[in-house]
Amino acid sequence: ARRNVLITGCSSGIGLALAIKMAKDEQERFKVYATMRNLAKKDALEEAAGHNLGKTLEIKQLDVCDEQSIKTCVNSIPDRRIDVLVSNAGMGLIGPIECQTIDEMKTVMDTNFFGLVRLLKEILPDMKKRKSGHIVIISSVMGIQGILFNDVYAASKFAVEGFCESLAIQALKFKLQLSLIEPGPVVTEFERKVFEDGMKMDLSAADEETADMFTNIYLKNYKQIFQSLGQSAEEVAEHTVKIILAENPPFRHQTNTLYTPMTTLKYADPNGDLPIDIFYKMVFHHDKIFSASLNFIKLLRWRSRKSFDLGKSSSQ
Ligand code: NAD
């Protein structure tokens, strides 16, 4: 039988790519409910869906910050049956915390963390009753490791990961599956918007050294990091589909093998100093080493494009 899949945040990026990939599945294994906050932004999705629109893909309104919109959307699905929930909607925030308002930070938490909580409050009870369902969350490598000037965003993804680690134990009892997808940098609207907001940021509340660090180190290297390490939304969607189709899906899956050496540092030192020390050196002391390693990564990336073995990486 076809599995009903509900995906949030489908007007762009990973959500859009995933919705299209699943709707176009050759074996027609999925019925996709591609949702978005603002239906006025549905053109790109509609166009990409083509003849699948109204067949294997339906577009619905859903704002993860609005409980009523979640309820209305779920009620409109036959028998409220959602076999696979993909919690993808999210937003970023960069910059020194002294230049961000608490309200801006709350919006990030409300979208990235409480957005997931709201979805599950509505959908989890049905899944428990049926004793079946797969909850897939687009988290981030920043859900396990913080990065300079991403303090609140990383906190929101850590919140997601802690919440899911707790819930996974209960889910097991109900035979439900839970998977965190952890992409590294992905070239999407997200990256463009976060960068633009960073460039426009009023840095007057920060001291000179911090403002300089943000502008001349962080923002200066931002594009280069995405260019050398960044995956496409389609690549992340491909990984996600593999996880959804896996017989025993893993709890965590990192999509970017070029990034795993960084996240591995976390587990290599129980004191937690090692990754912080390495990031510090990369950012502040070894600008040259930093650009050299980015060039090396570019080379690796060029080579791995030729021999990208998804089967291998998704069974890790
Ligand atoms: P994106 O900006 O293209 O997609 C995010 C989508 O979420 C957008 O369509 C946006 O409209 C939607 N959204 C925001 N607030 C919403 C709300 N309240 N209700 C419903 N939808 C809402 O960026 P993306 O890169 O495709 O991001 C998708 C997910 O991937 C996010 O959770 C993000 O944190 C995560 N992620 C992104 C990257 C990256 O580098 N781009 C890296 C790791 C993880």
Side-chain angles (χ1 to χ4, degrees), residues 9-15 36-37 62-65 88-91 111-112 138-140 153 157 183-186 188-191 226:
C10 292
S11 58
S12 58
I14 298 166
M36 60 185 72
R37 177 178 37 186
L62 190 157
D63 177 348
V64 298
C65 295
N88 164 74
M91 61 182 295
T111 308
N112 296 2
I138 310 297
S139 176
S140 166
Y153 177 71
K157 293 293 188 181
V186 189
T188 60
E189 281 294 294
F190 183 94
E191 167 255 337
F226 275 88

Side-chain angles (χ1 to χ4, degrees), residues 5-8 18 84-88 119 136-138 240 244:
V5 184
L6 186 141
I7 310 172
T8 62
L18 182 64
V84 183
L85 165 68
V86 183
S87 172
N88 164 74
L119 285 170
V136 179
I137 300 105
I138 310 297
T240 308
I244 290 170

Side-chain angles (χ1 to χ4, degrees), residues 260-275:
T260 31
M262 288 313 293
T263 47
T264 308
L265 296 174
K266 175 156 187 164
Y267 303 103
D269 176 15
N271 289 335
D273 293 322
L274 185 63

Side-chain angles (χ1 to χ4, degrees), residues 206-220:
D207 60 275
E208 221 173 282
E209 195 177 350
T210 307
D212 178 64
M213 205 189 283
F214 182 59
T215 311
N216 294 320
I217 297 181
Y218 185 81
L219 287 177
K220 219 175 103 193

